[in-house]
Amino acid sequence: MKQEQGIVLETADGMAKVRIGRHAECGSCGACGGARQVVVDAVNPLGAAVGQRVRFAFREEQVLTGAFVVFILPLIFGGVGAVIGHFMAPLLAASGSLPHVIGALLFFLLALLLVRKFDRRAAQNKAAKPVIIEILDNQQS
């Protein structure tokens, strides 16, 4: 399990919003729009309060699955769409690269819809969220 530290910003219903600073692994990603700090929702079984520094853990499988769905799946779908466009071209009496491009674009858009559905489902799945495992200080700011 990968562990991070952060400061609790708010709590509600057994969950906490935790602010973490970006680190080397996040430096070149760009997914956060250049934000210096990232806020994550974490399960709060220890009852951490606002302002406390906490350590939380998340399963690396969740990160790898998310990265695959967001970055790799659309590329695979685009490639499959281009191949399908190639084989559909004679049936549509089309020539050139237009069927490849249209097929790739349609399947890429389909993949984006699947990514959106995956994101919504993951946001509601408590088991996929990081869990606060330790309160590092009891000073609340």
Side-chain angles (χ1 to χ4, degrees):
M1 294 190 65
K2 185 162 178 50
Q3 297 183 3
E4 290 288 335
Q5 294 182 18
I7 297 177
V8 177
L9 297 177
E10 61 183 76
T11 61
D13 300 327
M15 298 294 291
K17 289 194 181 296
V18 181
R19 182 183 67 214
I20 59 173
R22 293 183 73 181
H23 45 80
E25 293 175 356
C26 293
S28 61
C29 172
C32 301
R36 293 190 183 276
Q37 297 181 345
V38 178
V39 175
V40 297
D41 289 327
V43 179
N44 187 9
L46 303 179
V50 174
Q52 290 182 317
R53 178 172 290 285
V54 296
R55 182 184 321 273
F56 61 94
F58 53 92
R59 296 192 328 226
E60 291 182 22
E61 300 89 37
Q62 297 295 335
V63 175
L64 293 175
T65 301
F68 176 81
V69 169
V70 170
F71 296 114
I72 306 299
L73 192 66
L75 293 175
I76 292 172
F77 268 58
V80 168
V83 170
I84 290 174
H86 170 77
F87 288 110
M88 293 295 292
L91 299 173
L92 301 172
S95 62
S97 62
L98 186 61
H100 301 89
V101 172
I102 291 174
L105 182 63
L106 289 175
F107 273 70
F108 182 78
L109 292 174
L110 175 64
L112 292 181
L113 291 174
L114 292 174
V115 167
R116 184 175 178 191
K117 184 175 182 174
F118 172 83
D119 182 51
R120 287 183 176 172
R121 182 169 286 164
Q124 295 174 351
N125 184 2
K126 244 185 172 177
K129 295 193 181 302
V131 178
I132 295 175
I133 58 173
E134 181 181 4
I135 298 173
L136 300 174
D137 64 38
N138 284 322
Q139 293 181 328
Q140 296 179 14
S141 48

